[in-house]
Amino acid sequence: QVQLVESGGGSVQAGGSLRLSCAASRYTYSSYCMGWFRQAPGKEREAVATITPNGRTSTADSVKGRFTISRDNAKTTLYLQMNSLKPDDTAMYYCAAGPWPMQCTVVSGTSEYGYWGQGTQVTVSS
């Protein structure tokens, strides 16, 4: 069982920055694929960025160059640095964990992620 707790969401004006964190409970965190997903009202959940146990990242085109995913295996924490935020980035953001090995990219869907956090809201105003 892996428990994930997100934090760091909030309200910000366009062009601003936020850093999301996801604290994981399990000591074998380092052997999981980790991902950030988001879901806006009326839209499907979409992958934002993923990171493999050894640090290989995959980022959605919509946020490439603005968002950076990283992980600290010693602290069992996942991060998402979000810069140059836009109103279209407004959504509930979730972190997820999937047991390695698995396809760990933003195009691999959500079915292999067995653990999800409760989400943290990000609101970007124009």
Side-chain angles (χ1 to χ4, degrees), residues 14-28:
S17 298
L18 285 172
R19 187 195 196 201
L20 305 184
S21 298
C22 172
S25 64
R26 192 174 174 92
Y27 74 96
T28 54

Side-chain angles (χ1 to χ4, degrees), residues 1 23 31 75 78 82 87 118:
Q1 187 76 15
S31 63
K75 296 182 178 179
L78 178 73
M82 305 186 296
Q118 81 290 347

